[in-house]
Amino acid sequence: MTLPSKKNNWRRRAPADPPATTTATATAPAPPDRRGSIVQASVYRDGRKVASLTTLAETFRRLREEPEGMAWIGLHRPSEAELLSLAAEFDLHELAVEDAMEAHQRPKLERYGDTLFVVLRAARYLDAQEEVDFGELHIFIGTDFLITVRHGAAPDLSSVRRRMEETPELLALGPEAVLYAILDAVVDEYVPVVAGVQNDIDEIETEVFRGDPAVSRRIYELSREMVEFQRATRPLVGMLNSLMAGFAKYGTDEELQRRLRDVADHVTHTSERVDGFRQALTEILTVNATLVTQQQNAEMRALAEAGFEQNEEIKKISSWAAILFAPTLVGTIYGMNFDHMPELHWVYGYPFAILLMGLVCTSLYVIFKRRDWL
């Protein structure tokens, strides 16, 4: 992974080489003389800070004054002018610069001549919202410079810078040592994310069996986050394998080799956990769908049983209404008090009417009973 020799690259910007300096001045857009999106810009020599600058122009000048120095420039959502200024000063490839401008790139590692371009997807767990927030980091690594372009709140590289400045023997190994430290920080931030997601899955399992109606939405949202998390971690495994494959070719320092292997182990473990989370969420979603279907079937069965019981009650009411309607009809006819009515003055008229009403009611009762309406 070690980059090509500093010595040849320095001829491009060294003050003692007027032609190269003149060319750079002619083709490079003037860097903004303001702080802009610069989070921090420093120049180091032998692992120790020799200058902390506030503008790109100052950083460029100071780096030229330190032939054995290294510039570490941190940017947050830089403007196009700032990126073009960096591209002209450090001879960055236009495709890599375009990626850094547009963001929304997949994690990758590409080499453009003497420059290594790395894209990382950082993640952090937000406890209050119970969700995962993703950020994007673009890194340009040369023989005497390292530029970080951050899109999003994560990762926080200030702690990485402090850590490296507190270990000058590691920082003295050059830009690739800083790349290791950034990779390590990004991967370390995956740990609380994994813990938070595991806790969310445990809560979701409880909510599923409790029958919480909002759990389906939570499963869906967490599944989408795991897709993003998988896109961040899975390519990182291949990137680190590529770096380790070049250890012998580029003569990487043994200490960095050990540290990068440790980072690769952590990434592999995290990637496997994320794969397990996706599988678990898929199974939970299936179980939830089964439980929801069972609940719906139970509700439909309860409604059907309630409807059946209601029908039975209606049958009984209708049967008794029909039975009571018969004597009501007979009584109504013979209660009209007309002088000229058949059987009105018949001596057996009353017993006959009572018998008729009883016979009709009994017949209807027997019929309804046989049909299980009563």
Side-chain angles (χ1 to χ4, degrees), residues 14-26:
D17 193 342
T21 305
T22 303
T23 302
T25 304

Side-chain angles (χ1 to χ4, degrees), residues 336-353:
M336 289 189 292
N337 298 323
F338 291 110
D339 290 336
H340 301 286
M341 286 185 66
E343 298 94 20
L344 186 61
H345 300 287
W346 184 34
V347 67
Y348 296 109
Y350 176 73
F352 176 75

Side-chain angles (χ1 to χ4, degrees), residues 295-327:
Q295 183 179 0
Q296 291 175 343
N297 291 339
E299 292 175 354
M300 293 296 294
R301 185 165 55 252
L303 289 173
E305 291 175 354
F308 176 77
E309 293 176 358
Q310 187 176 12
N311 289 337
E312 292 299 314
E313 295 298 325
I314 292 174
K315 287 180 181 180
K316 292 179 181 180
I317 294 172
S318 301
S319 300
W320 285 113
I323 293 172
L324 295 176
F325 176 74

Side-chain angles (χ1 to χ4, degrees), residues 23-214:
T23 302
T25 304
T27 59
D33 288 325
R34 56 183 176 83
R35 186 171 181 84
S37 61
I38 299 176
V39 178
Q40 190 171 357
S42 301
V43 175
Y44 300 87
R45 185 179 64 247
D46 298 328
R48 301 187 182 278
K49 183 190 296 185
V50 294
S52 182
L53 298 313
T54 58
T55 67
L56 293 179
E58 292 174 353
T59 305
F60 298 161
R61 285 194 296 268
R62 188 55 190 267
L63 183 58
R64 294 190 186 104
E65 295 170 359
E66 297 288 342
E68 299 299 324
M70 176 193 75
W72 182 354
I73 303 172
L75 305 173
H76 181 252
R77 298 187 185 278
S79 65
E80 181 178 349
E82 289 171 326
L83 284 175
L84 291 178
S85 174
L86 289 166
E89 176 68 19
F90 296 112
D91 195 21
L92 306 180
H93 196 279
E94 60 181 11
L95 294 179
V97 174
E98 182 180 351
D99 287 346
M101 287 181 184
E102 297 179 357
H104 304 293
Q105 303 295 318
R106 64 176 179 82
K108 60 182 178 179
L109 183 150
E110 295 178 348
R111 184 177 294 277
Y112 297 98
D114 293 342
T115 304
L116 199 63
F117 178 60
V118 179
V119 179
L120 301 175
R121 294 296 303 277
R124 59 174 183 163
Y125 186 79
L126 305 178
D127 290 319
Q129 295 85 356
E130 292 187 336
E131 63 182 27
V132 182
D133 177 49
F134 294 94
E136 189 169 330
L137 181 65
H138 299 229
I139 309 172
F140 297 91
I141 305 135
T143 55
D144 57 355
F145 68 89
L146 182 134
I147 304 167
T148 59
V149 179
R150 184 160 53 92
H151 297 271
D156 180 13
L157 297 180
S158 59
S159 59
V160 177
R161 192 181 290 266
R162 286 195 301 270
R163 172 190 172 191
M164 294 300 290
E165 290 176 353
E166 290 171 359
T167 55
E169 65 280 1
L170 184 60
L171 186 56
L173 296 177
E176 56 187 355
V178 180
L179 174 61
Y180 147 73
I182 294 174
L183 287 169
D184 188 47
V186 169
V187 174
D188 283 347
E189 288 187 0
Y190 290 158
V191 176
V193 176
V194 170
V197 171
Q198 180 63 68
N199 184 65
D200 287 345
I201 291 177
D202 294 339
E203 291 179 357
I204 286 174
E205 289 177 342
T206 303
E207 292 172 359
V208 164
F209 290 102
R210 189 187 298 160
D212 190 333

Side-chain angles (χ1 to χ4, degrees), residues 237-290:
V237 175
M239 291 165 56
L240 288 168
N241 288 336
S242 298
L243 288 174
M244 291 188 295
F247 282 167
K249 179 178 179 181
Y250 296 107
T252 303
D253 183 84
E254 292 185 2
E255 178 62 21
L256 286 180
Q257 291 185 29
R258 286 191 291 268
R259 292 175 180 266
L260 283 170
R261 288 193 188 97
D262 182 65
V263 174
D265 290 340
H266 292 169
V267 170
T268 301
H269 177 70
T270 301
S271 181
E272 291 173 351
R273 290 292 302 276
V274 174
D275 292 343
F277 289 155
R278 287 202 63 187
Q279 181 64 30
L281 287 169
T282 301
E283 294 174 354
I284 291 173
L285 189 61
T286 302
V287 171
N288 183 63
T290 302

